[in-house]
């Protein structure tokens, strides 16, 4: 029997009579290649993880104008993962088309907010994790459902899509949550064979899987979760617990060291915004964990590529610069429109995006300037200073042999004042300073800094600490001329140069 809506889809479909236990109809799609079981099993090996698969499902919900997305997982008995949204939903014709493999031409022009591309994400992402995919959708009060069942397809050896009957739809978990809204969609994963592989305790480890999902989605959709200007804010819940936005740029505390730049390709605009994170000493442990995750800050430096405000790729310089310790604070936000997908060689999982040559050439000078800013932030702990204009307590000296020596600055006001106070015993002070320099735990410092340990020695000075030091320094001044010179020195001496208002108050 020929479907009366086949012309609209421009595909040939045949519905043949098949009645299941609960009365489901079967839709046989004959326009797709033969050997359905082989091809569908092959697409399961594309390389999705649980978190990237769920991100693909959420893309569809956002495209459907959803503002609330619930991810529910149930690991006991007959385990399942269900993704519910309050989007516009689908009629039966739209649902059947959405369930068809390759339902969209990647070269077609899409709306600005469309996060899809190949028309494969719903199917390939879901089937990478389960053997049975059911989609139930409500639009204008009408409820419809369809299901791909790999075990059934293996027996029929055809592209046999089940159209769910009313009883089967009502048996789906969380169905009342979307029918009560009048619109929305449930994507239901059952027979979670891939998640069970190698698991001794599936229900115990499901929580660990979902922790990774939470971290991934909080980052990938952080701009939607925070609801930035011009973007519809969404809420995502995992078993009723809301996700919080994980801003990789720590926008409120970071420095946007350069103005945003635009690169125009074929009339489409790519927007680039470079950021320098605060020095690690200025971050809380929670902020460090959020910014670096398990891999640490060093691994997360680089470009953050967004397609329609959805994060695709991060933590890479695309071979324009090497990852290093001095550039670990540099991150670059790059916004690309979906109309330039073909130039960025975007893959099905939306986890790979390679910039075209014209973009790479425009990014090179930005990278060069950004690396310099990051290096200065790391070296000088965020202070905009140069060695010849400020008095530091430590001097960095390059030897004739090309080595580096760190010495305590003997001209630092407190050191100088102490030397004058002890008079003839000044050689004892010199020996003490020399032993401090020789005893620097350089190896341990390197380990602590590269492992992103928070070195609390670099905490800010307080007024209560600085005023006694000022008393000591000015006590040694014998006249107004010496006091004037002391003021001039302290105005360029750390940490007094950062608190000139306290110096004025003291005077």
């Amino acid at each position: 029997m020929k479907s009366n809506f086949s012309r609209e889809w421009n595909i040939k479909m045949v519905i043949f009579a098949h009645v299941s236990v609960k009365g489901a109809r079967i839709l046989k799609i004959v326009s797709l290649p033969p050997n359905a079981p082989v091809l569908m099993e092959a697409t399961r090996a594309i390389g999705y993880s649980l978190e990237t698969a769920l991100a693909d499902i959420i893309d569809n919900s956002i495209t459907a104008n959803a503002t609330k997305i619930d991810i529910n997982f149930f690991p006991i008995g007959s385990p399942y993962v269900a993704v519910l949204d309050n989007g516009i939903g689908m009629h039966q014709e739209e649902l059947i088309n959405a369930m068809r493999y390759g339902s969209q031409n990647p070269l077609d022009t899409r709306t600005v907010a469309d996060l899809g591309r190949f028309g494969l994400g719903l199917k390939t992402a879901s089937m990478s994790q389960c053997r049975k995919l059911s989609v139930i959708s409500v639009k204008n009060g009408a409820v419809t459902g369809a299901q791909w069942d790999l075990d059934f397809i293996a027996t029929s050896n055809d592209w046999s899509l089940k159209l769910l009957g009313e009883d089967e739809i009502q048996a789906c978990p969380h169905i009342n949550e979307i029918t009560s809204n009048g619109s929305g969609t449930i994507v239901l994963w059952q027979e979670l064979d891939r998640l069970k592989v190698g698991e001794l305790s599936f229900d115990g480890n499901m929580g660990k899987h979902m922790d990774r999902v939470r971290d991934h989605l909080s980052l990938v959709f952080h701009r939607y979760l925070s609801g930035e200007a011009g973007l519809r804010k969404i809420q995502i819940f995992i078993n009723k617990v809301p996700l919080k936005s994980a801003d990789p740029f720590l926008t409120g505390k970071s420095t946007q060291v350069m103005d945003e730049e635009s690169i125009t390709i074929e009339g489409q605009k790519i927007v680039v915004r470079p950021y320098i994170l605060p020095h690690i000493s200025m971050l809380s442990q929670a902020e460090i964990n959020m910014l670096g995750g398990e891999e640490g800050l060093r691994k997360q430096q680089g470009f953050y590529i967004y397609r329609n405000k959805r994060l695709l790729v991060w933590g890479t310089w695309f071979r324009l610069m090497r990852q290093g310790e001095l550039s670990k604070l540099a991150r670059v936000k790059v916004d690309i429109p979906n109309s330039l997908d073909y130039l960025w060689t975007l893959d099905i999982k939306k986890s790979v995006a390679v910039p075209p040559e014209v973009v790479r050439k425009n990014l090179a000078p930005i990278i060069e300037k950004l690396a310099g800013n990051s290096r200065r932030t790391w070296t000088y702990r965020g202070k905009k200073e140069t060695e010849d204009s400020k008095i530091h307590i430590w001097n960095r000296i390059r030897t004739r042999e090309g080595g580096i020596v760190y010495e305590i600055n003997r001209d630092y006001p407190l050191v100088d004042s102490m030397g004058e106070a002890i008079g003839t015993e000044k050689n004892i002070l010199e020996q003490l300073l020399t032993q401090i320099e020789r005893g620097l735990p350089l190896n341990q410092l390197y380990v602590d800094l590269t492992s992103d340990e928070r070195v609390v020695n670099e905490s800010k000075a307080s007024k209560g600490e600085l005023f006694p030091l000022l008393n000591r320094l000015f006590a040694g001044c014998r006249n107004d001329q010496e006091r004037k010179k002391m003021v001039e020195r302290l105005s360029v001496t750390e940490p007094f140069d950062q608190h000139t208002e306290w110096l004025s108050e003291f005077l």
Side-chain angles (χ1 to χ4, degrees), residues 220-418:
V220 168
F221 297 103
H222 75 91
R223 298 171 73 176
Y224 288 88
L225 290 167
S226 61
E228 67 177 53
L231 193 64
R232 183 178 64 254
K233 185 175 182 178
I234 66 170
Q235 295 176 294
I236 301 177
F237 298 83
I238 297 182
N239 279 6
K240 308 305 179 183
V241 178
L243 295 189
K244 294 182 180 179
S245 169
D247 179 7
F249 306 100
L250 206 62
T251 309
K253 295 179 70 172
S254 296
T255 303
Q256 189 173 337
V257 294
M258 300 163 58
D259 293 335
E260 77 174 33
E261 299 195 15
S262 297
I263 302 171
T264 302
I265 300 177
E266 299 182 8
Q268 303 296 314
K269 184 183 294 185
I270 297 172
V271 181
V272 182
R273 299 179 187 86
Y275 289 88
I276 297 294
L277 298 178
H279 187 267
I280 192 171
S281 63
M282 305 299 179
L283 303 176
S284 67
Q285 190 58 52
E287 289 171 333
I288 292 173
N289 292 339
M290 183 192 73
L291 290 169
E294 296 179 0
E295 296 296 326
L297 284 172
R298 187 177 187 275
K299 294 293 185 181
Q300 302 300 326
Q301 64 183 280
F303 290 107
Y304 283 66
I305 308 298
Y306 294 82
R307 173 179 176 267
N308 293 355
K309 310 296 178 69
R310 189 264 209 207
L311 185 58
L312 296 180
V313 180
W314 61 93
T316 176
W317 289 115
F318 295 123
R319 299 186 179 181
L320 294 174
M321 182 172 74
R322 294 180 61 185
Q323 285 192 337
E325 287 302 313
L326 297 181
S327 60
K328 67 193 297 181
L329 301 178
R331 299 186 176 191
V332 185
K333 181 190 292 185
V334 181
D335 277 305
I336 64 174
N338 58 20
S339 54
L340 295 180
D341 284 352
Y342 68 98
L343 287 177
W344 288 75
T345 59
L346 187 67
D347 71 343
I348 291 175
K349 304 190 304 294
K350 288 175 282 202
S351 61
V352 175
V354 181
E357 184 64 25
V358 62
V359 175
R360 290 166 65 90
K361 288 181 179 179
N362 282 275
L363 290 177
I366 297 174
I367 294 302
E368 184 176 351
K369 183 177 179 180
L370 183 66
N373 278 283
S374 177
R375 188 176 297 111
R376 285 190 292 276
T377 300
W378 181 254
T379 304
Y380 297 114
R381 304 181 301 282
K383 305 185 206 45
K384 298 178 180 178
E385 55 191 22
T386 55
E387 292 185 72
D388 59 349
S389 64
K390 298 289 183 180
I391 300 175
H392 304 284
I393 193 168
W394 286 96
N395 285 332
R396 180 178 183 271
I397 300 171
R398 185 176 293 278
T399 66
R400 291 181 180 180
E401 293 77 18
I404 300 297
V405 174
Y406 285 92
E407 291 183 348
I408 296 176
N409 183 6
R410 271 52 171 182
D411 293 327
Y412 188 77
L414 280 173
V415 176
D416 189 28
S417 176
M418 186 179 295

Side-chain angles (χ1 to χ4, degrees), residues 476-484:
C477 297
R478 291 165 294 188
N479 52 52
D480 288 342
Q481 185 176 1
E482 289 187 2
R483 279 190 286 272
K484 182 179 180 181

Side-chain angles (χ1 to χ4, degrees), residues 79-241:
Y80 67 81
V81 175
V83 182
L84 293 71
D85 69 50
N86 64 347
I88 58 176
M90 294 174 281
H91 289 310
Q92 187 178 76
E93 295 87 347
E94 296 170 313
L95 174 58
I96 293 172
N97 191 43
M99 295 292 277
R100 188 171 64 89
Y101 277 66
S103 60
Q104 187 175 21
N105 188 332
L107 299 180
D108 287 347
T109 301
R110 297 180 303 283
T111 61
V112 174
D114 191 348
L115 295 180
R117 188 188 181 197
F118 295 96
L120 289 169
L122 170 64
K123 287 75 67 177
T124 56
S126 298
M127 289 307 191
S128 72
Q129 307 299 314
C130 69
R131 297 192 64 79
K132 183 186 291 185
L133 163 65
S134 304
V135 180
I136 300 93
S137 196
V138 180
K139 186 171 185 178
N140 299 328
V143 184
T144 186
Q147 182 184 90
W148 284 119
D149 185 338
L150 290 181
D151 294 325
F152 176 78
I153 290 170
T155 60
S156 65
N157 199 32
D158 278 312
W159 292 90
S160 302
L161 177 69
K162 290 185 179 181
L163 300 181
L164 301 181
E166 182 177 349
D167 290 343
E168 290 176 307
I169 290 175
Q170 291 302 318
C172 289
H174 309 285
I175 184 64
N176 292 333
E177 295 179 39
I178 64 165
T179 54
S180 60
N181 291 335
S183 69
T185 300
I186 298 177
V187 176
L188 179 64
W189 297 350
Q190 295 170 296
E191 307 293 338
L192 305 173
D193 61 329
R194 292 297 173 91
L195 288 177
K196 292 181 178 180
V197 173
E199 299 285 5
L200 297 178
S201 174
F202 174 71
D203 55 336
N205 287 321
M206 195 63 177
K208 295 179 181 179
H209 287 308
M210 285 301 165
D211 286 340
R212 289 196 295 271
V213 169
R214 182 178 297 277
D215 292 340
H216 183 80
L217 299 182
S218 295
L219 176 62
V220 168
F221 297 103
H222 75 91
R223 298 171 73 176
Y224 288 88
L225 290 167
S226 61
E228 67 177 53
L231 193 64
R232 183 178 64 254
K233 185 175 182 178
I234 66 170
Q235 295 176 294
I236 301 177
F237 298 83
I238 297 182
N239 279 6
K240 308 305 179 183
V241 178

